[in-house]
Amino acid sequence: MKPLEDILVVDFSQFLSAPSSTLRLADLGARVIKVERPDTGDICRQLYVSNVNLNGESSIFRAINRNKESFQADLKIEADKEQVYKLIEKADVFVHNFRPGVIERLGFDYETLQKINPSLIYGEISGYGKEGPWKSKPGQDLLVQSLSGVTWLNGNEGDPTPIGLAIVDILSGANLTQGILASIYKRLKTGEGTKVSVSMMESIIDFQFESITTFYHDGGAPTVRPKSNSAHAYLGAPYGVYQTKNGYLALAMGSIPFLGELLSADELLKYKDFQTWYTERNEIKEILASTLMKNTTEHWLSILEPADIWCANVMTWDVLFEHDGFKVLDMIQDVKMGDGYEYKTTRCPIKIDGEYLTSSLGSPALGEHTNSIVKELIEE
């Protein structure tokens, strides 16, 4: 039995942030009913991250909406609206990620739903919260990254560099999930419902807690990234990624003089004071870069790993997926849609009592479960 079995989630969310939260709730055993508008449904159905089409819709929708049911409803039609209200009466959790003001106009704000279901856990994600000059800005991942300062932590000195994943969306979804799970525990003790609010901006600010704390305690000095081989804006040498004769090598922390001995790079032996690993990191990284280019990744790993230097091959997906280290994790699962279409995607990374949380159910067709949900939960 999965931990959240018997928990019913009514999901109004779209795109990535809140759907990533309801995906995790579904993985943990909750029943997630995705309420979608007629004809178009979740806009993410046609939001392509590439030209990959999976059974007529985007790969991103297929990935983030597996293991859910789809209920089609036009919230501008009173009869459809009443059906959704009846569904919410029986729900444990309600989730949305509309911009501030939209959910109130639809009639599904917290105060309204609390009257319908006082024990309901109400979860919401916004871009920037409900106050301040940014409250109406679109909560899109790249835009939030750009405003948050995180783009000045990535890449080498020079242009701002965004993180190449929808990191703000996924972090926001994870934070919402944590709040919902805490609220489920609270309800077990009190019987009361809870409103859980998360913003994308707060999520990405919190993600930078180490660097922001440093900023506040080093006199507010501007962030200065290394000129080359950067993997962290603040950490000293050798921290970074370096090209080798046949690939790339990641180096984490390590004594610079010791590295000099291992790599036969005598120029590094003079950096005995660890403060220089910060103040002169650009010069040190230049020496490391020129040295590591002289031989293969495998050669350097054969020297560095036995010496307990933290290092790793920088793998592409095709190499990773063939490696035993990846295969033993069994991270890829096959899921099947209602029409029989099958596709591969990742599984939930959580293991409980030694068991992985897998599910063979793919993403739903628009409105696929409307009739069965009406008969089971609304007309009974």
Side-chain angles (χ1 to χ4, degrees):
M1 182 175 179
K2 294 181 179 180
L4 295 186
E5 286 186 18
D6 299 327
I7 294 292
L8 176 60
V9 180
V10 174
D11 182 8
F12 269 36
S13 64
Q14 299 191 88
F15 300 112
L16 291 178
S17 60
S20 72
S21 174
T22 56
L23 172 63
R24 187 61 70 237
L25 296 174
D27 284 337
L28 290 166
R31 180 181 182 182
V32 176
I33 297 177
K34 189 174 178 67
V35 177
E36 300 186 79
R37 70 185 74 180
D39 301 322
T40 58
D42 182 343
I43 298 171
C44 197
R45 287 181 180 272
Q46 300 303 321
L47 181 66
Y48 289 85
V49 295
S50 72
N51 59 356
V52 174
N53 183 299
L54 293 182
N55 203 19
E57 292 180 328
S58 75
S59 58
I60 195 169
F61 179 85
R62 296 283 180 240
I64 209 160
N65 288 291
R66 60 176 174 78
N67 206 14
K68 302 177 185 178
E69 300 171 47
S70 175
F71 183 89
Q72 186 170 271
D74 187 342
L75 300 180
K76 296 178 182 177
I77 297 175
E78 199 59 34
D80 284 16
K81 195 170 182 177
E82 286 301 318
Q83 284 190 331
V84 177
Y85 280 146
K86 288 181 180 178
L87 200 55
I88 290 170
E89 282 181 19
K90 299 178 179 178
D92 299 284
V93 179
F94 173 85
V95 173
H96 82 89
N97 60 340
F98 289 109
R99 290 193 201 183
V102 174
I103 202 72
E104 289 79 7
R105 291 197 297 272
L106 291 172
F108 290 87
D109 53 280
Y110 176 63
E111 289 72 21
T112 297
L113 299 193
Q114 193 180 38
K115 293 174 184 175
I116 294 171
N117 182 348
S119 64
L120 184 70
I121 295 163
Y122 187 104
E124 62 180 10
I125 294 180
S126 64
Y128 311 88
K130 293 190 175 182
E131 300 176 349
W134 292 342
K135 64 181 181 181
S136 297
K137 287 180 70 66
Q140 194 276 332
D141 197 282
L142 176 60
L143 306 185
V144 182
Q145 282 196 48
S146 300
L147 290 167
S148 74
V150 74
T151 59
W152 294 104
L153 298 179
N154 302 291
N156 298 324
E157 180 184 293
D159 296 335
T161 305
I163 299 170
L165 291 168
I167 185 72
V168 186
D169 283 312
I170 305 307
L171 287 170
S172 302
N175 287 336
L176 182 63
T177 301
Q178 292 173 42
I180 289 171
L181 293 176
S183 299
I184 290 173
Y185 178 70
K186 170 192 168 186
R187 192 178 66 178
L188 287 172
K189 296 192 296 182
T190 67
E192 298 174 355
T194 304
K195 184 179 183 181
V196 182
S197 300
V198 170
S199 82
M200 295 172 70
M201 178 59 88
E202 287 166 294
S203 295
I204 193 63
I205 293 294
D206 174 69
F207 188 57
Q208 301 173 80
F209 69 94
E210 291 177 289
S211 298
I212 288 174
T213 302
T214 301
F215 175 84
Y216 272 106
H217 292 277
D218 69 356
T223 303
V224 179
R225 294 166 290 169
K227 289 183 177 179
S228 66
N229 308 98
S230 179
H232 195 287
Y234 285 89
L235 285 174
Y239 206 89
V241 173
Y242 300 85
Q243 189 172 0
T244 66
K245 201 170 186 178
N246 68 338
Y248 291 86
L249 178 74
L251 280 176
M253 290 80 164
S255 164
I256 298 303
F258 186 40
L259 278 171
E261 293 175 14
L262 293 171
L263 302 176
S264 299
D266 293 343
E267 296 170 271
L268 295 176
L269 301 179
K270 66 180 180 180
Y271 297 103
K272 293 181 172 59
D273 182 356
F274 86 96
Q275 290 289 349
T276 62
W277 308 351
Y278 291 86
T279 59
E280 299 179 52
R281 67 180 177 181
N282 288 329
E283 293 80 1
I284 294 171
K285 288 189 171 194
E286 286 180 8
I287 297 168
L288 282 168
S290 63
T291 300
L292 293 169
M293 274 291 289
K294 295 175 182 177
N295 219 314
T296 65
T297 301
E298 293 76 19
H299 171 79
W300 296 123
L301 288 172
S302 71
I303 294 172
L304 298 173
E305 286 184 328
D308 202 27
I309 296 294
W310 292 359
C311 56
N313 189 358
V314 180
M315 294 184 178
T316 56
W317 282 337
D318 56 338
V319 174
L320 168 67
F321 295 161
E322 293 301 317
H323 198 285
D324 288 343
F326 174 79
K327 290 178 179 178
V328 74
L329 297 175
D330 199 19
M331 273 297 300
I332 304 299
Q333 63 180 351
D334 292 303
V335 296
K336 182 185 290 188
M337 293 178 58
D339 64 1
Y341 181 84
E342 295 186 37
Y343 60 97
K344 293 183 181 296
T345 188
T346 56
R347 63 160 174 81
C348 177
I350 300 169
K351 184 187 284 187
I352 293 181
D353 291 332
E355 297 292 329
Y356 289 123
L357 302 172
T358 59
S359 171
S360 61
L361 183 62
S363 61
L366 177 58
E368 179 179 345
H369 305 92
T370 303
N371 292 335
S372 61
I373 290 169
V374 168
K375 290 176 183 177
E376 178 190 358
L377 296 173
I378 296 174
E379 290 183 347
E380 63 175 2

Coordinates of all heavy atoms in Angstrom, one line a residue, residues 253-311:
M253 N 36.3 19.4 -4.6 CA 37.3 20.0 -3.7 C 38.6 19.1 -3.7 O 38.5 17.9 -4.0 CB 36.7 20.0 -2.2 CG 35.7 21.1 -2.0 SD 34.1 20.5 -2.7 CE 33.0 21.7 -1.9
G254 N 39.7 19.7 -3.3 CA 40.9 19.0 -3.3 C 42.1 19.9 -3.0 O 42.0 21.1 -3.4
S255 N 43.2 19.4 -2.4 CA 44.3 20.2 -2.1 C 45.1 20.5 -3.5 O 45.4 19.6 -4.2 CB 45.3 19.5 -1.2 OG 46.6 20.0 -1.2
I256 N 45.3 21.8 -3.7 CA 46.0 22.2 -5.0 C 47.4 21.6 -5.0 O 47.8 21.0 -6.1 CB 46.0 23.7 -5.2 CG1 44.5 24.2 -5.3 CG2 46.8 24.1 -6.4 CD1 43.7 23.5 -6.4
P257 N 48.3 21.7 -4.0 CA 49.6 21.1 -4.1 C 49.6 19.6 -4.3 O 50.4 19.1 -5.0 CB 50.2 21.5 -2.7 CG 49.5 22.7 -2.3 CD 48.1 22.5 -2.8
F258 N 48.6 18.9 -3.6 CA 48.5 17.5 -3.8 C 48.1 17.2 -5.2 O 48.6 16.2 -5.8 CB 47.5 16.9 -2.8 CG 47.4 15.5 -2.8 CD1 48.5 14.6 -2.9 CD2 46.1 14.8 -2.7 CE1 48.4 13.3 -2.9 CE2 46.0 13.5 -2.7 CZ 47.2 12.7 -2.8
L259 N 47.2 17.9 -5.8 CA 46.8 17.8 -7.2 C 48.1 18.0 -8.1 O 48.3 17.2 -9.1 CB 45.7 18.7 -7.6 CG 44.3 18.3 -7.3 CD1 43.3 19.5 -7.6 CD2 43.9 17.1 -8.1
G260 N 48.9 19.0 -7.7 CA 50.1 19.2 -8.5 C 51.0 18.0 -8.5 O 51.6 17.6 -9.6
E261 N 51.1 17.3 -7.4 CA 51.9 16.1 -7.3 C 51.3 15.0 -8.2 O 52.0 14.3 -8.9 CB 52.1 15.6 -5.9 CG 52.8 16.6 -5.0 CD 52.8 16.2 -3.5 OE1 52.4 15.0 -3.3 OE2 53.2 17.0 -2.6
L262 N 50.0 14.8 -8.0 CA 49.4 13.7 -8.8 C 49.4 13.9 -10.3 O 49.6 12.9 -11.0 CB 47.9 13.6 -8.3 CG 47.7 13.1 -6.8 CD1 46.2 13.3 -6.5 CD2 48.1 11.7 -6.7
L263 N 49.3 15.1 -10.7 CA 49.2 15.4 -12.1 C 50.5 15.8 -12.7 O 50.6 16.1 -13.9 CB 48.2 16.6 -12.3 CG 46.8 16.4 -11.8 CD1 46.0 17.7 -12.0 CD2 46.1 15.2 -12.5
S264 N 51.6 15.8 -11.9 CA 52.9 16.2 -12.4 C 52.9 17.6 -12.9 O 53.5 17.9 -13.9 CB 53.5 15.2 -13.4 OG 53.6 13.9 -12.9
A265 N 52.2 18.4 -12.2 CA 52.1 19.8 -12.6 C 52.8 20.7 -11.5 O 52.2 21.1 -10.5 CB 50.6 20.3 -12.7
D266 N 54.1 20.9 -11.7 CA 54.9 21.5 -10.6 C 54.4 22.9 -10.4 O 54.7 23.5 -9.3 CB 56.3 21.5 -11.1 CG 56.9 20.1 -11.1 OD1 56.3 19.2 -10.5 OD2 58.0 19.9 -11.7
E267 N 53.8 23.6 -11.4 CA 53.4 25.0 -11.2 C 52.3 25.1 -10.0 O 52.1 26.2 -9.5 CB 52.7 25.5 -12.5 CG 53.7 25.6 -13.6 CD 53.0 25.9 -14.9 OE1 52.6 24.9 -15.6 OE2 52.8 27.1 -15.2
L268 N 51.7 24.0 -9.7 CA 50.6 24.0 -8.7 C 51.2 23.9 -7.3 O 50.5 24.1 -6.3 CB 49.6 22.9 -8.9 CG 48.8 23.1 -10.2 CD1 47.8 21.9 -10.3 CD2 47.9 24.4 -10.2
L269 N 52.4 23.5 -7.1 CA 53.0 23.2 -5.8 C 53.2 24.4 -4.9 O 53.2 24.3 -3.7 CB 54.4 22.5 -6.0 CG 54.4 21.2 -6.8 CD1 55.8 20.6 -6.9 CD2 53.4 20.2 -6.2
K270 N 53.2 25.6 -5.6 CA 53.5 26.8 -4.8 C 52.2 27.3 -4.0 O 52.3 28.2 -3.2 CB 54.0 27.9 -5.7 CG 53.0 28.4 -6.7 CD 53.6 29.5 -7.6 CE 52.7 30.0 -8.6 NZ 53.3 31.1 -9.5
Y271 N 51.0 26.8 -4.4 CA 49.8 27.3 -3.8 C 49.5 26.5 -2.5 O 48.5 25.8 -2.4 CB 48.6 27.1 -4.8 CG 48.8 28.0 -6.1 CD1 49.2 27.4 -7.3 CD2 48.6 29.3 -6.0 CE1 49.4 28.2 -8.4 CE2 48.8 30.1 -7.2 CZ 49.2 29.5 -8.4 OH 49.4 30.3 -9.5
K272 N 50.3 26.7 -1.5 CA 50.2 26.0 -0.3 C 49.1 26.6 0.6 O 48.5 25.9 1.4 CB 51.5 25.9 0.4 CG 52.6 25.0 -0.3 CD 53.9 24.9 0.5 CE 54.8 23.9 -0.1 NZ 55.2 24.2 -1.5
D273 N 49.0 27.9 0.6 CA 48.0 28.6 1.4 C 46.6 28.5 0.7 O 46.4 28.9 -0.4 CB 48.4 30.1 1.5 CG 47.4 30.9 2.3 OD1 46.4 30.3 2.8 OD2 47.7 32.1 2.5
F274 N 45.7 27.8 1.4 CA 44.4 27.6 0.8 C 43.6 28.8 0.4 O 42.8 28.8 -0.4 CB 43.5 26.7 1.7 CG 42.7 27.5 2.8 CD1 41.4 27.8 2.5 CD2 43.3 27.8 4.0 CE1 40.7 28.5 3.5 CE2 42.6 28.5 4.9 CZ 41.2 28.9 4.7
Q275 N 44.0 30.0 1.0 CA 43.4 31.2 0.6 C 43.6 31.6 -0.8 O 42.8 32.1 -1.5 CB 43.9 32.4 1.5 CG 43.4 32.3 3.0 CD 42.0 32.6 3.1 OE1 41.3 33.1 2.2 NE2 41.4 32.4 4.3
T276 N 44.8 31.1 -1.3 CA 45.1 31.4 -2.7 C 44.2 30.6 -3.7 O 44.1 30.9 -4.8 CB 46.6 31.1 -3.0 OG1 46.8 29.7 -2.8 CG2 47.5 31.9 -2.2
W277 N 43.6 29.5 -3.2 CA 42.8 28.7 -4.0 C 41.5 29.5 -4.4 O 40.8 29.2 -5.4 CB 42.4 27.4 -3.3 CG 43.5 26.6 -2.8 CD1 44.9 26.8 -3.1 CD2 43.5 25.5 -1.9 NE1 45.7 25.9 -2.4 CE2 44.8 25.1 -1.7 CE3 42.5 24.8 -1.4 CZ2 45.2 24.0 -0.9 CZ3 42.8 23.7 -0.6 CH2 44.1 23.3 -0.3
Y278 N 41.2 30.6 -3.6 CA 40.1 31.5 -3.9 C 40.6 32.7 -4.6 O 40.1 33.1 -5.6 CB 39.4 31.9 -2.6 CG 38.7 30.7 -1.9 CD1 39.3 29.8 -1.1 CD2 37.3 30.5 -2.2 CE1 38.6 28.8 -0.5 CE2 36.6 29.5 -1.6 CZ 37.3 28.6 -0.8 OH 36.6 27.5 -0.2
T279 N 41.7 33.3 -4.0 CA 42.1 34.6 -4.6 C 42.8 34.5 -5.9 O 42.8 35.4 -6.7 CB 43.1 35.3 -3.6 OG1 44.2 34.5 -3.3 CG2 42.3 35.6 -2.3
E280 N 43.4 33.3 -6.2 CA 44.1 33.1 -7.4 C 43.5 31.9 -8.2 O 44.2 31.2 -8.9 CB 45.6 32.9 -7.2 CG 46.2 34.1 -6.5 CD 47.7 33.9 -6.2 OE1 48.5 33.5 -7.1 OE2 48.1 34.1 -5.0
R281 N 42.2 31.7 -8.1 CA 41.6 30.5 -8.7 C 41.7 30.5 -10.2 O 41.8 29.5 -10.8 CB 40.1 30.4 -8.2 CG 39.2 31.4 -8.7 CD 37.8 31.2 -8.2 NE 36.9 32.3 -8.5 CZ 35.6 32.3 -8.2 NH1 35.1 31.3 -7.5 NH2 34.9 33.3 -8.6
N282 N 41.6 31.7 -10.8 CA 41.7 31.8 -12.3 C 43.0 31.3 -12.8 O 43.1 30.5 -13.8 CB 41.4 33.2 -12.8 CG 40.0 33.6 -12.6 OD1 39.1 32.8 -12.7 ND2 39.8 34.9 -12.4
E283 N 44.1 31.7 -12.1 CA 45.4 31.2 -12.5 C 45.6 29.7 -12.3 O 46.1 29.0 -13.2 CB 46.5 32.0 -11.7 CG 46.6 33.5 -12.0 CD 45.5 34.3 -11.3 OE1 44.7 33.7 -10.6 OE2 45.5 35.5 -11.5
I284 N 45.1 29.2 -11.2 CA 45.2 27.8 -10.9 C 44.4 27.0 -11.9 O 44.8 26.0 -12.4 CB 44.6 27.5 -9.4 CG1 45.6 28.2 -8.4 CG2 44.5 26.0 -9.2 CD1 45.0 28.2 -7.0
K285 N 43.2 27.5 -12.2 CA 42.3 26.8 -13.2 C 43.0 26.8 -14.6 O 42.8 25.8 -15.3 CB 40.9 27.4 -13.2 CG 40.1 27.1 -12.0 CD 38.7 27.5 -12.1 CE 37.9 27.0 -10.9 NZ 36.4 27.0 -11.2
E286 N 43.7 27.8 -14.9 CA 44.4 27.8 -16.2 C 45.4 26.7 -16.3 O 45.6 26.0 -17.3 CB 45.0 29.2 -16.5 CG 44.0 30.3 -16.8 CD 44.7 31.6 -17.1 OE1 46.0 31.6 -17.1 OE2 44.0 32.6 -17.2
I287 N 46.2 26.5 -15.2 CA 47.2 25.5 -15.1 C 46.5 24.1 -15.2 O 47.0 23.2 -15.9 CB 48.0 25.6 -13.8 CG1 48.8 27.0 -13.8 CG2 49.0 24.5 -13.7 CD1 49.4 27.3 -12.5
L288 N 45.5 23.9 -14.4 CA 44.8 22.7 -14.4 C 44.2 22.3 -15.8 O 44.3 21.2 -16.3 CB 43.6 22.7 -13.4 CG 44.0 22.5 -11.9 CD1 42.8 22.8 -11.1 CD2 44.4 21.1 -11.7
A289 N 43.7 23.3 -16.5 CA 43.1 23.1 -17.8 C 44.1 22.7 -18.8 O 43.9 21.7 -19.6 CB 42.4 24.4 -18.3
S290 N 45.3 23.4 -18.8 CA 46.3 23.0 -19.8 C 46.9 21.6 -19.5 O 47.3 20.9 -20.4 CB 47.4 24.1 -19.8 OG 48.0 24.1 -18.5
T291 N 47.0 21.3 -18.2 CA 47.5 20.0 -17.8 C 46.6 18.8 -18.2 O 47.0 17.8 -18.7 CB 47.8 19.9 -16.3 OG1 48.7 21.0 -15.9 CG2 48.3 18.6 -15.8
L292 N 45.3 19.0 -17.9 CA 44.3 17.9 -18.1 C 44.1 17.7 -19.6 O 43.6 16.6 -19.9 CB 43.0 18.2 -17.3 CG 43.1 18.2 -15.8 CD1 41.9 18.8 -15.2 CD2 43.4 16.8 -15.3
M293 N 44.4 18.6 -20.4 CA 44.2 18.5 -21.9 C 45.2 17.5 -22.4 O 45.1 17.0 -23.6 CB 44.3 19.8 -22.6 CG 43.0 20.6 -22.6 SD 41.8 19.8 -23.7 CE 42.6 20.1 -25.3
K294 N 46.3 17.2 -21.7 CA 47.4 16.4 -22.2 C 47.1 14.9 -22.2 O 47.8 14.1 -22.8 CB 48.6 16.6 -21.4 CG 49.2 18.0 -21.5 CD 50.3 18.3 -20.5 CE 50.8 19.7 -20.6 NZ 51.9 20.0 -19.7
N295 N 46.0 14.4 -21.5 CA 45.7 13.0 -21.5 C 44.2 12.8 -21.4 O 43.4 13.7 -21.3 CB 46.4 12.3 -20.4 CG 47.0 10.9 -20.8 OD1 46.3 10.2 -21.4 ND2 48.2 10.7 -20.4
T296 N 43.8 11.5 -21.4 CA 42.4 11.2 -21.5 C 41.7 11.3 -20.1 O 42.4 11.2 -19.1 CB 42.2 9.8 -22.0 OG1 42.8 8.8 -21.1 CG2 42.8 9.6 -23.4
T297 N 40.4 11.3 -20.1 CA 39.6 11.3 -18.9 C 39.9 10.0 -18.1 O 40.1 10.1 -16.9 CB 38.1 11.4 -19.2 OG1 37.8 12.6 -19.9 CG2 37.3 11.4 -17.9
E298 N 40.0 8.9 -18.8 CA 40.2 7.6 -18.1 C 41.6 7.6 -17.4 O 41.7 7.1 -16.3 CB 40.1 6.5 -19.1 CG 38.7 6.3 -19.7 CD 38.3 7.3 -20.7 OE1 39.2 8.0 -21.3 OE2 37.0 7.4 -20.9
H299 N 42.6 8.2 -18.1 CA 43.9 8.2 -17.5 C 43.9 9.0 -16.2 O 44.4 8.6 -15.2 CB 44.9 8.9 -18.5 CG 46.2 9.2 -17.9 ND1 47.2 8.2 -17.8 CD2 46.8 10.3 -17.5 CE1 48.3 8.8 -17.2 NE2 48.0 10.0 -17.1
W300 N 43.3 10.2 -16.2 CA 43.3 11.0 -15.0 C 42.5 10.4 -13.9 O 42.9 10.4 -12.7 CB 42.7 12.4 -15.4 CG 43.6 13.2 -16.3 CD1 43.2 13.7 -17.5 CD2 45.0 13.5 -16.2 NE1 44.3 14.4 -18.2 CE2 45.4 14.2 -17.4 CE3 46.0 13.2 -15.2 CZ2 46.7 14.7 -17.6 CZ3 47.3 13.7 -15.5 CH2 47.6 14.4 -16.6
L301 N 41.3 9.8 -14.3 CA 40.5 9.1 -13.2 C 41.3 8.0 -12.6 O 41.2 7.8 -11.3 CB 39.3 8.5 -13.8 CG 38.2 9.5 -14.2 CD1 37.1 8.9 -15.0 CD2 37.6 10.3 -13.0
S302 N 42.2 7.3 -13.3 CA 42.9 6.2 -12.8 C 44.0 6.7 -11.8 O 44.4 5.9 -10.9 CB 43.6 5.4 -13.9 OG 44.7 6.2 -14.5
I303 N 44.3 7.9 -11.9 CA 45.3 8.5 -10.9 C 44.6 9.2 -9.8 O 44.9 9.0 -8.6 CB 46.2 9.6 -11.6 CG1 47.1 8.9 -12.7 CG2 47.0 10.4 -10.7 CD1 47.8 9.9 -13.6
L304 N 43.5 9.9 -10.0 CA 42.9 10.7 -9.0 C 42.0 9.9 -8.1 O 41.9 10.2 -6.9 CB 42.1 11.9 -9.7 CG 42.9 12.9 -10.6 CD1 41.9 13.8 -11.3 CD2 43.8 13.7 -9.7
E305 N 41.2 9.0 -8.6 CA 40.3 8.3 -7.8 C 41.0 7.4 -6.7 O 40.5 7.5 -5.6 CB 39.4 7.4 -8.7 CG 38.3 8.2 -9.4 CD 37.3 7.4 -10.2 OE1 37.7 6.3 -10.7 OE2 36.2 7.8 -10.3
P306 N 42.0 6.7 -7.0 CA 42.7 6.0 -6.0 C 43.3 6.9 -4.9 O 43.5 6.5 -3.7 CB 43.9 5.2 -6.7 CG 43.4 5.1 -8.1 CD 42.6 6.4 -8.4
A307 N 43.6 8.1 -5.2 CA 44.1 9.1 -4.3 C 43.0 9.8 -3.5 O 43.3 10.8 -2.7 CB 45.0 10.1 -5.0
D308 N 41.8 9.4 -3.7 CA 40.6 9.9 -3.0 C 40.3 11.4 -3.4 O 39.8 12.2 -2.5 CB 40.7 9.8 -1.5 CG 39.4 9.8 -0.8 OD1 38.3 9.5 -1.4 OD2 39.3 10.2 0.4
I309 N 40.6 11.8 -4.6 CA 40.3 13.1 -5.1 C 38.8 13.0 -5.6 O 38.5 12.1 -6.4 CB 41.2 13.5 -6.2 CG1 42.6 13.7 -5.7 CG2 40.7 14.8 -6.9 CD1 42.8 14.8 -4.7
W310 N 38.0 13.9 -5.2 CA 36.6 13.9 -5.7 C 36.6 14.3 -7.2 O 36.8 15.5 -7.5 CB 35.8 14.8 -4.8 CG 35.6 14.3 -3.4 CD1 36.1 13.1 -2.9 CD2 34.9 14.9 -2.4 NE1 35.8 13.0 -1.6 CE2 35.0 14.1 -1.2 CE3 34.1 16.1 -2.3 CZ2 34.4 14.4 0.0 CZ3 33.5 16.4 -1.1 CH2 33.7 15.5 0.1
C311 N 36.3 13.4 -8.0 CA 36.3 13.7 -9.5 C 35.3 12.8 -10.2 O 34.9 11.7 -9.6 CB 37.7 13.5 -10.0 SG 38.4 11.9 -9.8

